[in-house]
Amino acid sequence: MSLNPRLRDWQGRHVWLIGAGHGIGAALARQLRAAGAILALSGRSEDALREVAADDAQCLVLPLDVTREQDWQQACGQLLQRWPRIDLVVMLAGDYRAVRAWQLTAELARHMVDVNLLGVMYGTAAVVPALLRQQHGSIALVASVAGWAGMPNGLVYGATKAAVNHFAQTLYLDLRPRGIGVHVVNPGFVATRLTAQNDFAMPALISAEQAAGALLAGLARGDFDIHFPRRFSLVLKLAAHLPYRLYFWLAHKVTGL
């Protein structure tokens, strides 16, 4: 039994993608457009968003900084003036910095918490009232398998993504009884400009297009936890429940760090 409504027919659906200028967000925009969705694209770089929007006259470009609560409120207000409803909001914006314990600074920690966690909370605060008013719609928060257990290089990133998973679980408990779908997306290694900074061989690495396809497949199944690629994410999910001695050995073995 699905935990959420199954999102399969995208023709005419109104979808707001935040973090759509690059990576999985840009790939998802292309696939949704091809499936007939009506899109709004947000992110920090207006130029990147307009490049993704291409010549789609129906596509709205709404630049915003996810760390600014007022940007969320303004963009959401503009969207509701233009659209009759919001069918799906996907929050993909995030930042990753490879950080070991001896590289940690307060400034770096604050930046990633602001983008990866507080940005999600600000966005949720902006869109949930609209979804509740219309008594319809879904929200998808992009976390990471790095949030399931500690991994080298993920000192701050993994902690923020663990928090997003927790936030999504509680959000589901609050919103699903009110008719709003909630999904958390946990990708493994995806080839993007962010993961390019990793200095180890990333197991089961997939392209942004493959990741977008897997995300859409999870929405079509009505999954709460959409994780991929399964050949890696299922193993990591199981590994996260191993005794710590075994898990720590495995984490070092996989990354070589």
Side-chain angles (χ1 to χ4, degrees), residues 91-256:
M91 298 190 193
L92 302 114
D95 198 5
Y96 166 69
R97 308 284 175 88
V99 180
R100 308 302 298 274
W102 48 89
Q103 298 168 324
L104 180 64
T105 66
E107 181 181 2
L108 189 151
R110 187 179 302 109
H111 167 75
M112 280 204 280
V113 169
D114 284 348
V115 174
N116 294 348
L117 179 56
L118 291 179
V120 167
M121 292 181 171
Y122 294 157
T124 301
V127 302
V128 163
L131 298 181
L132 290 175
R133 283 195 301 270
Q134 65 188 30
Q135 298 183 320
H136 162 81
S138 298
I139 183 168
L141 310 179
V142 177
S144 169
V145 298
W148 291 347
M151 299 179 69
N153 276 354
L155 190 64
V156 181
Y157 178 80
T160 63
K161 295 304 185 178
V164 171
N165 269 281
H166 187 286
F167 183 72
Q169 292 165 17
T170 307
L171 198 65
Y172 182 92
L173 293 172
D174 284 347
L175 295 183
R176 189 68 197 98
R178 295 172 178 256
I180 308 303
V182 178
H183 310 262
V184 62
V185 184
N186 284 295
F189 291 110
V190 181
T192 68
R193 58 185 186 147
L194 296 181
T195 55
Q197 65 187 285
N198 283 333
D199 57 359
F200 58 88
M202 291 172 277
L205 182 68
I206 61 175
S207 69
E209 293 291 340
Q210 289 173 309
L215 196 162
L216 290 177
L219 294 175
R221 292 189 300 267
D223 291 349
F224 167 72
D225 181 8
I226 303 172
H227 57 89
F228 52 83
R230 291 295 181 100
R231 66 186 185 276
F232 175 67
S233 59
L234 283 173
V235 172
L236 189 60
K237 189 177 279 284
L238 290 172
H241 293 88
L242 289 172
Y244 280 125
R245 183 182 299 276
L246 288 176
Y247 175 75
F248 291 153
W249 174 86
L250 181 62
H252 283 298
K253 191 74 172 175
V254 168
T255 62

Side-chain angles (χ1 to χ4, degrees), residues 52-121:
V52 174
D55 297 323
D56 184 353
Q58 288 187 302
C59 184
L60 299 179
V61 173
L62 302 170
L64 63 79
D65 180 341
V66 298
T67 68
R68 292 169 53 87
E69 186 269 343
Q70 58 268 41
D71 282 18
W72 278 106
Q73 295 295 336
Q74 182 178 6
C76 190
Q78 292 174 348
L79 193 62
L80 293 171
Q81 289 177 355
R82 301 284 296 274
W83 280 2
R85 67 188 183 279
I86 301 174
D87 294 307
L88 173 66
V89 179
V90 187
M91 298 190 193
L92 302 114
D95 198 5
Y96 166 69
R97 308 284 175 88
V99 180
R100 308 302 298 274
W102 48 89
Q103 298 168 324
L104 180 64
T105 66
E107 181 181 2
L108 189 151
R110 187 179 302 109
H111 167 75
M112 280 204 280
V113 169
D114 284 348
V115 174
N116 294 348
L117 179 56
L118 291 179
V120 167
M121 292 181 171

